[in-house]
């Protein structure tokens, strides 16, 4: 089996965002990313600052650690990064092992690379990055990924865009117009991922601003606006 570059495994905790918000889950965070988003809240997965914590694990080892930590106190695993889509067979094998135990799998990726195991994921979130990230969207690749997912009846997928400002909101609207049949989640961005202490007031202010943008916009009647629930409760703490 193929090994996975794993930087942390933790939980059980509560999924704080996206299509499975509020679900109790374990987390497997992989190392490495092909993007360098300016506001990334997990830059330690690619900037080298925590490279010494990265371990190459067989899928069976990952499952064993999940069970050691969580016991029978979970039925969902979130694989995040970094970008898990940079990893080939190892993730697919891990998904198969988890499914054998009737454990659901959620994954988020920016839509920069296709993997066949996308079709095995129970909740696949494609999260293209808006202008504030400093990254440029490869629309041809994103079109290809969404077309393949749409063509498969087994692929449960959605879109998510993090919104920091008016330009990001316009980008989110363009994504919605380009893929009108795909459920879209909007999430206000956290402008300071290093701030210590209680950041909930700041985050709620940004959430209210995003609410007002969508409320006033008849072209966004079908989108869902969600907070970063974990950041409201645990703020910028790691491993939550």
């Amino acid at each position: 089996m193929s090994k996975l570059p794993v930087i942390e495994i933790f939980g059980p905790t509560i999924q704080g965002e996206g299509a499975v918000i509020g679900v109790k889950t374990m987390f497997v965070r992989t190392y490495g990313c092909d993007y360098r988003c300016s506001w990334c809240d997990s830059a330690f997965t690619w900037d080298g600052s925590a490279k010494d914590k990265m371990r190459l694990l067989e899928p069976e080892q990952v499952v064993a650690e999940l069970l050691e930590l969580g016991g029978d106190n979970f039925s969902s695993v979130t694989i995040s990064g970094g970008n898990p889509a940079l990893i080939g067979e190892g993730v697919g094998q891990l998904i198969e092992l988890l499914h054998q135990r009737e454990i659901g799998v959620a994954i988020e990726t920016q839509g920069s690379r296709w993997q066949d195991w996308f079709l095995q994921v129970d909740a696949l979130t494609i999260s293209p990055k808006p202008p504030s990230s400093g990254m440029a969207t490869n629309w041809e690749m994103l079109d290809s990924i969404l077309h393949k997912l749409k063509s498969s009846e087994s692929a449960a997928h959605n879109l998510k865009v993090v919104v920091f400002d008016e330009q990001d909101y316009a980008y989110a609207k363009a994504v919605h117009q380009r893929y009108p049949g795909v459920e879209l989640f909007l999430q206000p961005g956290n402008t300071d991922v290093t701030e210590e202490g209680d950041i909930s007031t700041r985050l709620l202010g940004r959430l209210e601003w995003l609410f007002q943008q969508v409320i006033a916009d008849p072209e966004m009647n079908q989108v869902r606006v969600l907070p970063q629930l974990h950041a409201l409760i645990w703020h910028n703490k790691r491993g939550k």
Side-chain angles (χ1 to χ4, degrees), residues 23-43:
V23 173
K24 181 164 62 174
T25 187
M26 298 291 291
F27 271 84
V28 176
R29 192 181 295 279
T30 63
Y31 189 83
C33 191
D34 50 336
Y35 275 22
R36 299 292 183 266
C37 296
S38 61
W39 35 252
C40 181
D41 61 1
S42 53

Side-chain angles (χ1 to χ4, degrees), residues 8-26:
E8 60 181 356
I9 298 174
F10 63 92
T13 186
I14 301 296
Q15 173 58 262
E17 57 191 63
V20 289
I21 189 171
V23 173
K24 181 164 62 174
T25 187
M26 298 291 291

Side-chain angles (χ1 to χ4, degrees), residues 163 165-173 210 213-214 217 220:
V163 178
D165 53 32
E166 289 81 359
Q167 193 176 10
D168 286 357
Y169 182 77
Y171 174 91
K173 182 185 277 191
L210 187 53
Q213 302 306 304
V214 172
D217 191 342
M220 299 291 265

